[in-house]
Amino acid sequence: MTQHIYLTILLPLLGFLVNGIFGPKIKNEKLIGIIGSGSIGLSFIISVISFFETLNLPVDKRQTIVTLFPWINVGNLNINFSYQVDQLSLVMALLVTGVGFIIHVYSIGYMHGDKAFWRFFSYLNLFIFAMMNLILADNFVLLFLGWEGVGLCSYLLIGFWYDRKFEKSTTADAGKKAFIVNRIGDFGFLVGMFLIFMTFGSLNFNDVFNRASIFNVSEGVFSLIAISLFIGATGKSAQIPLFVWLPDAMAGPTPVSALIHAATMVTAGVYMVARCSVLFASAPAVLIVVAVIGILTAIVAASIGLVQNDIKKVLAYSTISQLGYMFLGLGAGAFGAGIFHVMTHAFFKALLFLGAGSVIHAMHEEQDIQRYGGLKKFMPVTSKTFIIAALAISGIPPLSGFFSKDEILWYTYANGLWFLWVIGVITAMLTAFYMFRLYTLTFEGKSRFGSDKHPHESPKVMTIPLIILAVLSVIGGLIGIPEIFSGEHGNRFHNWLSPIFKQAERKMIIFGTHSHFEEIALMTISVVGAAAAIWFARHIYLNRPSIAENLSRKFRLTYNLLLNKYFVDEAYDYTIVNPIVKGSTSFLWKIADNKIIDGTVNGLAKVVAIISVYSRKLQTGLAQFYAIIMVLGITLALFWIILSR
Amino acid sequence: MLNSLQDLYHIIPLLIVSGGILVSIIVEMYSKDSEKILFALSILVFGAAGLFSLYSVNNVSILFNGMLATGGNVNVFSFIFNIGAFIVTLLSADYIRKYGTYYGEYYIILQSSVLGMMLMAGAKDLFIIFIGLELMSISFYVLAGLNRKRYNANEASLKYFLLGAFATGFIVYGIGLIYGTAQTTSIDILTVRFPQLTGNLLFLAGVLLFLVGFTFKIAAFPFHMWVPDVYQGSPTVVAGLFSTGGKAAAFSAILVTLAALFNGNVGSLFTPYLIFVSALSMIYGSIVAISQDDIKRMLAYSSISHAGYLAIGLAAGNSEGTAGIIFYLAAYSFMNLGAFGIVALIEGENETNLSIASYAGLAKRNPALAALLSIFMFSLSGIPPFAGFFGKYYVFFAAIKSGLTWLALIGILSSVISVYFYLRIVVLMYFKDQGEEVIPSKSAMGMVGVVLSAILVVLLGVFPGSIINLISSFL
């Protein structure tokens, strides 16, 4: 089946085409849903079979390249449509198709009755198609095709309800913002690609990574390449300074937020950096930048998350914050740990979003957590699964989030970045706090909504996906139990991925040895911190809401700063967006474009049109005249050949 | 003459079409319901011959004492001709009825013209080229004027015949001079002896006359004057065949004969002529197309400028150029047939609705047709990811590789100009309200033909690498 991995890409494409073309004619929601989720389900099955096939191969033969057809052949540039099945892409493929399938099924319930049901499923399938291209590509160009494709789908799905208002503007504007901010990152990625081709003469992963170890390339060039690629990653994975689009992306339907803006697409940047680990490992300075940007993003986003009142906004900032952790892991050289967190995060964050969707569904599109409360008794399944996810993200053992987050923090510390470790632990406490603030305000305490709302548990098609994800959030971390607990075999997930990062690790300084005691001590600190934060959150929001009010009054300035998201959007508008808009209207548009360019073009066009009108008169319609012209032509040609001898 | 049964196997596509012609004649004579039978038969013949050509593309061989080649790019050409004719047949199903009385000869002559094209592509001897050329040309003259009751058709047919015969005269004269100086008509022998023969002025004059004759057939400047009048007067689907199959066949013949120039590295001898033809065709075609109001005349001038782009590949004179031409011809055939097919669907009774204004607001009335025509227009103007873009790309690439960067630049400029008249149709369809009520005729077969063209245009645009690799592997 590994040889037929392209089916995992073709099936979603097929689903997209069928639902996209015939969707409006198929009136039956069930059929559309089955086509949409069925194609992803089959892809998941194929991925699982390929995974076990690969697992049975010897470790050094676990990379399979499946070439479909040559794509671009120009000079030295040879790009094929070929897919690379290996340990890393398989993990991602399982994740995308698996979580994707669950969310597709959930969407059948969530989108029930929407007038563009078919359009939703066709876009979702197109997204999976693009995402699978991104993760299975064996070269940068095909990866970029997927990279742009997921960006497009993200845009289409954020603006899916294009006729609805979103905050001060429309969902379409939110879509545009996401797209434009992503384009800025894409520019960096493109530059990185050009530099790679210039330096290594190829864009094929295997070639580039092998040559990166062999070629004598200065660290400066490596740094330039790595930083360019990282700029691309900050766009797609919502890191400082390009994180501003992700909160607005919540304008889309909630399953979209779960699938694209939490579980899969936003981790593309993490995947890309991990894939290019050799290039990053060759540029130690950039690795530090990655780690610092990651932890800064983590704590900034977590602090904003403390005070937001929109349930999806809180989760959005939490996503940004968790992505920051992943980059911290990558920056600390723990590429495997970063991918591990991608996986566990996909489980619990998808669960959180789907749970939020279930709540929003029950509360008739109300998203303000101050108007929830006491939903536990109406929605038993949603509330139970939600608390599991909240515990997982807070890093409470033995849930999945604990293992991955702890591994990242441990590597950060072990690699000598103890200061970043401190911030990491503080962020973990903030995370635990805002998650339980969210949980408590939503599900516990007294109801704060009007009598017009009649909350109810969601249908089975929505709750079963929640239960599956909850199970995964609980046990998902067990494949990555650290060595100190699991003994000789070590961390299974780590062992599985380690061949991918071997080249990178050879280039890096070996970690200093640390005792098990240190590891356990650090672990205890972060767990105790998180547990304290949980207790504190519940204490405040369940028993003493006045504490929160007092705090916000006392630290009015800080509170406003956080509530307004550090005024980053406003700062961007003021320093970048407005000057560009003004400059382009007053000069580029009115003078450069209208006068200079249009003037030249229109002038030339007029000249061409005049020539055209005159030369058409040659066409007299007389056959004799035509023959004369032919004779003239032949005579000229003959004279030329005689004279040129 | 047959060496073995193996030879028969190699010429199966030719046998299919020849057999088709004979069976069609008998059916036409004895059957009362011949129209439907002949339609089905033509579909079968073209489909079978086209697919078999593709299937046996790797069986390269020379047959009949070095007179005919099969396999390789000969079969690629054969595929283009037959699938092109397949689409034309689909388009004809309802069109010829709308256009005028149905004549039984129509499908028979269509098949014989394709047989002529296939002979030209496979020829290894100047005489075979000539036989193929005449078979195709005479069929074309008849197809142009098949409807004797129409004044326009008669004019087109007669003009085409007079000027075509004039051009053929030059070709024969050229062959005569070549034979007189080289004492052979075999292209392989000519190829070997070409370097010595270049000193002989009469031989060069012969090659030049031969080239000039074919410059007429590919509809390039300054031998293009017949094109707009003939396309306008002929039935639309037939004009589609002239502009695609006819042009492709003429190019295949030029490639076959000029192989001598390319391989012998003496290609530079005729390069100035080819550059002249190429540059002026591109510019003239694009510029004059702008001021056309009739869509068929516009497509005629577009066809002239495409002859210019294709001639860039000839002027480049390297194997990239040859591969580029073949790819371009495939792309051009399908996109142009698609465009002509939609024109045929829009056309009303008595050749009405042929003005460009008839396309205003089409997107509202018939979104499917408008979308398809947009694909063809985008492809014709060379916008990725459609086939037309890669066709241009490959010939421009070949020109740059052989140092003719400025010719490629002229090509790019001319493409820019051409965007104006191609996209004007798209703008009219999508952004203008309809003037008069134009209702496209309903033709299921016609739609199948147009959709098939669109699929091929998209496929060639998505998989250009595989196809160009296939073509190059035979060079």
Side-chain angles (χ1 to χ4, degrees):
Chain A
M1 210 34 117
T2 315
Q3 287 300 331
H4 301 292
I5 196 75
Y6 55 85
L7 287 176
T8 61
I9 293 156
L10 271 186
L11 285 168
L13 181 66
L14 211 66
F16 159 68
L17 290 176
V18 170
N19 274 340
I21 295 171
F22 304 110
K25 299 247 166 73
I26 311 175
K27 291 277 184 286
N28 189 344
E29 276 191 5
K30 240 185 202 157
L31 187 59
I32 292 173
I34 288 172
I35 295 170
S37 15
S39 61
I40 310 302
L42 286 175
S43 293
F44 176 62
I45 293 170
I46 295 167
S47 306
V48 171
I49 298 172
S50 305
F51 171 74
F52 282 109
E53 279 181 5
T54 308
L55 198 61
N56 283 331
L57 295 173
V59 175
D60 54 338
K61 291 205 174 116
R62 280 184 179 163
Q63 191 194 61
T64 317
I65 305 268
V66 182
T67 303
L68 291 192
F69 52 89
W71 185 23
I72 303 169
N73 291 324
V74 194
N76 299 330
L77 183 69
N78 292 305
I79 308 290
N80 292 337
F81 245 95
S82 47
Y83 297 108
Q84 174 170 344
V85 185
D86 62 13
Q87 294 91 331
L88 180 57
S89 60
L90 273 173
V91 168
M92 295 298 289
L94 287 173
L95 199 65
V96 170
T97 52
V99 175
F101 174 66
I102 294 170
I103 294 174
H104 271 72
V105 172
Y106 175 92
S107 304
I108 298 176
Y110 191 83
M111 298 303 286
H112 170 68
D114 196 279
K115 62 183 178 191
F117 193 82
W118 59 275
R119 194 158 55 88
F120 183 79
F121 274 88
S122 68
Y123 286 169
L124 274 194
N125 278 7
L126 182 66
F127 166 76
I128 299 280
F129 163 74
M131 190 72 198
M132 293 301 282
N133 265 309
L134 196 162
I135 57 185
L136 285 170
D138 93 323
N139 58 67
F140 281 96
V141 182
L142 194 55
L143 184 149
F144 190 62
L145 179 95
W147 187 271
E148 292 293 279
V150 293
L152 170 72
C153 295
S154 158
Y155 163 78
L156 290 172
L157 284 163
I158 292 171
F160 181 77
W161 287 318
Y162 52 84
D163 45 1
R164 291 197 191 176
K165 284 253 171 288
F166 177 70
E167 295 184 351
K168 284 169 215 152
S169 55
T170 58
T171 60
D173 280 334
K176 264 192 278 184
K177 184 172 173 186
F179 200 75
I180 292 168
V181 174
N182 263 298
R183 294 299 304 171
I184 299 171
D186 294 347
F187 176 72
F189 187 73
L190 274 174
V191 171
M193 253 166 57
F194 298 155
L195 286 171
I196 288 170
F197 187 65
M198 245 173 65
T199 317
F200 302 112
S202 172
L203 285 170
N204 191 289
F205 287 151
N206 280 338
D207 290 346
V208 171
F209 301 150
N210 286 334
R211 288 174 196 177
S213 310
I214 302 164
F215 280 22
N216 188 13
V217 179
S218 71
E219 200 183 308
V221 175
F222 272 123
S223 301
L224 217 54
I225 290 173
I227 201 83
S228 305
L229 292 179
F230 181 59
I231 290 172
T234 57
K236 190 77 46 200
S237 294
Q239 295 296 293
I240 289 174
L242 298 179
F243 68 95
V244 287
W245 65 271
L246 191 59
D248 286 25
M250 298 302 126
T254 309
V256 171
S257 310
L259 178 62
I260 300 184
H261 304 117
T264 57
M265 184 191 84
V266 288
T267 61
V270 183
Y271 164 77
M272 190 263 287
V273 173
R275 178 59 83 192
C276 303
S277 53
V278 184
L279 304 177
F280 281 83
S282 311
V286 177
L287 273 185
I288 300 288
V289 173
V290 172
V292 170
I293 292 278
I295 195 65
L296 276 181
T297 310
I299 192 157
V300 165
S303 62
I304 298 175
L306 290 176
V307 299
Q308 297 301 314
N309 283 327
D310 182 318
I311 184 167
K312 285 179 76 180
K313 276 277 162 76
V314 177
L315 294 179
Y317 280 105
S318 145
T319 305
I320 298 174
S321 167
Q322 296 299 312
L323 288 166
Y325 269 119
M326 298 172 202
F327 280 100
L328 173 66
L330 299 175
F335 299 106
I339 294 295
F340 189 27
H341 199 52
V342 166
M343 190 187 82
T344 57
H345 174 253
F347 297 149
F348 56 68
K349 190 51 67 64
L351 176 53
L352 286 170
F353 265 112
L354 295 188
S358 179
V359 171
I360 294 167
H361 199 64
M363 297 297 287
H364 311 286
E365 308 299 321
E366 178 59 72
Q367 299 193 9
D368 189 344
I369 48 174
Q370 300 295 353
R371 295 190 196 158
Y372 290 162
L375 288 176
K376 197 160 70 171
K377 57 178 177 287
F378 301 105
M379 312 180 73
V381 181
T382 306
S383 67
K384 272 177 202 136
T385 52
F386 203 93
I387 200 167
I388 290 173
L391 287 170
I393 195 175
S394 306
I396 301 299
L399 280 72
S400 58
F402 164 74
F403 293 107
S404 54
K405 193 187 280 185
D406 184 71
E407 197 180 341
I408 289 174
L409 288 175
W410 167 241
Y411 275 113
T412 310
Y413 179 86
N415 209 8
L417 304 168
W418 64 269
F419 187 66
L420 300 187
W421 176 85
V422 172
I423 307 178
V425 172
I426 296 172
T427 309
M429 290 165 67
L430 294 179
T431 308
F433 182 85
Y434 67 67
M435 278 320 301
F436 276 84
R437 166 175 178 264
L438 181 65
Y439 175 79
T440 314
L441 284 176
T442 305
F443 292 103
E444 304 206 9
K446 279 192 223 103
S447 306
R448 293 184 298 278
F449 46 86
S451 56
D452 56 325
K453 300 242 158 76
H454 307 286
H456 53 87
E457 184 56 280
S458 298
K460 281 232 166 68
V461 70
M462 288 165 74
T463 50
I464 291 174
L466 292 179
I467 294 167
I468 297 172
L469 283 171
V471 171
L472 287 171
S473 301
V474 174
I475 61 167
L478 299 182
I479 56 165
I481 299 178
E483 253 174 65
I484 45 167
F485 297 134
S486 59
E488 267 174 47
H489 294 293
N491 183 334
R492 279 174 181 236
F493 191 78
H494 198 86
N495 291 344
W496 163 256
L497 277 181
S498 63
I500 301 278
F501 306 120
K502 210 181 272 166
Q503 281 171 314
E505 272 159 15
R506 234 176 263 146
K507 288 211 163 197
M508 286 186 306
I509 311 134
I510 309 299
F511 300 119
T513 43
H514 291 269
S515 64
H516 284 174
F517 169 74
E518 264 180 291
E519 193 172 347
I520 291 175
L522 294 178
M523 215 177 265
T524 318
I525 293 175
S526 63
V527 170
V528 169
I534 292 173
W535 176 85
F536 194 49
R538 289 180 63 77
H539 178 69
I540 290 180
Y541 291 101
L542 210 53
N543 309 330
R544 297 271 189 82
S546 56
I547 298 181
E549 270 168 44
N550 285 340
L551 276 175
S552 65
R553 215 169 294 135
K554 219 175 221 170
F555 300 99
R556 174 129 296 247
L557 213 62
T558 322
Y559 179 75
N560 274 335
L561 194 65
L562 293 181
L563 194 65
N564 290 300
K565 305 144 197 170
Y566 293 100
F567 295 100
V568 173
D569 273 326
E570 285 77 5
Y572 282 179
D573 277 347
Y574 191 72
T575 55
I576 299 168
V577 180
N578 288 343
I580 288 179
V581 170
K582 263 185 204 144
S584 65
T585 17
S586 58
F587 177 73
L588 289 177
W589 170 23
K590 288 190 175 148
I591 294 176
D593 200 35
N594 275 4
K595 297 229 167 103
I596 301 172
I597 297 176
D598 282 4
T600 322
V601 170
N602 289 340
L604 280 176
K606 262 181 206 153
V607 172
V608 171
I610 289 167
I611 298 173
S612 172
V613 168
Y614 279 98
S615 39
R616 75 180 288 196
K617 292 199 171 143
L618 273 177
Q619 201 75 30
T620 54
L622 289 176
Q624 299 93 311
F625 178 71
Y626 295 174
I628 287 176
I629 298 277
M630 279 174 71
V631 171
L632 262 175
I634 291 164
T635 321
L636 274 176
L638 280 175
F639 263 105
W640 161 74
I641 198 135
I642 292 167
L643 292 178
S644 70
R645 296 308 297 162
Chain B
M1 290 285 273
L2 285 175
N3 293 331
S4 66
L5 271 177
Q6 195 66 26
D7 282 16
L8 276 181
Y9 174 75
H10 288 304
I11 57 165
I12 280 180
L14 284 165
L15 290 179
I16 292 174
V17 180
S18 314
I21 297 170
L22 295 177
V23 175
S24 300
I25 291 174
I26 295 167
V27 169
E28 214 283 320
M29 262 162 43
Y30 293 106
S31 168
K32 287 213 175 82
D33 198 20
S34 65
E35 185 187 342
K36 274 185 189 142
I37 300 175
L38 286 188
F39 169 77
L41 192 67
S42 308
I43 288 285
L44 211 65
V45 164
F46 293 136
L51 292 180
F52 190 84
S53 303
L54 197 65
Y55 167 73
S56 59
V57 72
N58 286 319
N59 298 338
V60 182
S61 59
I62 307 273
L63 311 168
F64 303 117
N65 297 328
M67 293 291 245
L68 200 65
T70 58
N73 284 330
V74 175
N75 278 22
V76 175
F77 271 116
S78 178
F79 175 78
I80 298 174
F81 302 146
N82 278 294
I83 298 303
F86 183 85
I87 294 169
V88 169
T89 311
L90 284 172
L91 297 173
S92 306
D94 296 294
Y95 179 81
I96 48 170
R97 175 135 302 166
K98 175 168 72 179
Y99 179 74
T101 24
Y102 163 77
Y103 294 98
E105 300 96 296
Y106 179 78
Y107 291 117
I108 305 172
I109 298 173
L110 193 64
Q111 289 174 26
S112 59
S113 76
V114 173
L115 184 66
M117 296 175 198
M118 289 162 75
L119 280 177
M120 283 164 85
K124 277 296 198 181
D125 191 286
L126 295 179
F127 279 124
I128 303 290
I129 293 189
F130 186 68
I131 291 170
L133 176 69
E134 282 305 272
L135 195 51
M136 179 188 87
S137 301
I138 293 170
S139 305
F140 277 2
Y141 307 147
V142 180
L143 283 177
L146 200 61
N147 191 334
R148 285 159 290 220
K149 289 174 193 146
R150 282 188 191 270
Y151 174 78
N152 278 345
N154 276 323
E155 184 194 331
S157 176
L158 204 60
K159 267 186 192 164
Y160 196 11
F161 171 63
L162 282 174
L163 297 168
F166 198 46
T168 309
F170 291 117
I171 294 176
V172 182
Y173 197 32
I175 294 179
L177 285 176
I178 294 171
Y179 181 66
T181 48
Q183 279 94 43
T184 181
T185 52
S186 158
I187 287 166
D188 283 338
I189 301 177
L190 283 171
T191 310
V192 175
R193 297 184 45 199
F194 195 85
Q196 310 150 17
L197 286 165
T198 46
N200 192 330
L201 193 59
L202 278 181
F203 176 76
L204 290 183
V207 176
L208 184 69
L209 283 176
F210 187 84
L211 255 183
V212 163
F214 275 103
T215 315
F216 174 91
K217 300 289 177 190
I218 63 171
F221 189 91
F223 308 106
H224 64 279
M225 307 288 281
W226 59 279
V227 179
D229 294 9
V230 171
Y231 284 12
Q232 192 184 17
S234 314
T236 306
V237 289
V238 170
L241 183 69
F242 292 170
S243 68
T244 56
K247 198 189 289 280
F251 263 103
S252 75
I254 297 182
L255 287 178
V256 164
T257 42
L258 288 200
L261 280 76
F262 294 156
N263 294 339
N265 255 343
V266 281
S268 58
L269 215 55
F270 291 96
T271 307
Y273 173 77
L274 294 169
I275 290 175
F276 173 81
V277 164
S278 161
L280 284 175
S281 300
M282 289 188 289
I283 295 174
Y284 182 85
S286 304
I287 288 183
V288 180
I290 289 178
S291 54
Q292 301 303 320
D293 311 315
D294 182 294
I295 188 143
K296 276 164 82 179
R297 284 188 85 84
M298 185 209 92
L299 286 172
Y301 282 103
S302 128
S303 144
I304 294 171
S305 71
H306 280 283
Y309 299 124
L310 283 156
I312 292 182
L314 292 179
N318 44 21
S319 62
E320 284 86 356
T322 311
I325 288 175
I326 299 175
F327 183 88
Y328 198 126
L329 282 170
Y332 173 73
S333 294
F334 300 128
M335 65 199 182
N336 216 33
L337 273 178
F340 269 104
I342 288 177
V343 173
L345 288 174
I346 304 279
E347 187 178 328
E349 305 245 333
N350 293 321
E351 300 181 68
T352 45
N353 299 338
L354 282 170
S355 75
I356 284 172
S358 315
Y359 288 79
L362 183 68
K364 277 192 193 124
R365 273 169 286 138
N366 197 329
L369 270 190
L372 286 166
L373 187 55
S374 305
I375 291 182
F376 299 130
M377 288 297 149
F378 280 120
S379 183
L380 280 166
S381 49
I383 291 169
F386 301 113
F389 167 76
F390 288 98
K392 275 184 185 153
Y393 171 77
Y394 288 126
V395 290
F396 292 165
F397 179 70
I400 290 168
K401 210 177 165 204
S402 65
L404 294 173
T405 310
W406 59 275
L407 188 61
L409 277 180
I410 293 182
I412 290 165
L413 274 180
S414 147
S415 303
V416 172
I417 298 174
S418 73
V419 169
Y420 174 79
F421 59 83
Y422 289 128
L423 294 199
R424 184 166 55 161
I425 308 278
V426 178
V427 170
L428 274 175
M429 289 192 300
Y430 282 92
F431 301 112
K432 288 273 153 52
D433 288 326
Q434 60 191 96
E436 48 194 314
E437 186 75 19
V438 178
I439 298 162
S441 49
K442 285 210 162 48
S443 162
M445 289 298 168
M447 269 316 271
V448 172
V450 172
V451 169
L452 180 63
S453 315
I455 291 173
L456 286 167
V457 166
V458 172
L459 280 184
L460 283 172
V462 177
F463 303 99
S466 327
I467 292 150
I468 204 84
N469 285 352
L470 175 77
I471 295 170
S472 308
S473 68
F474 297 124
L475 292 175

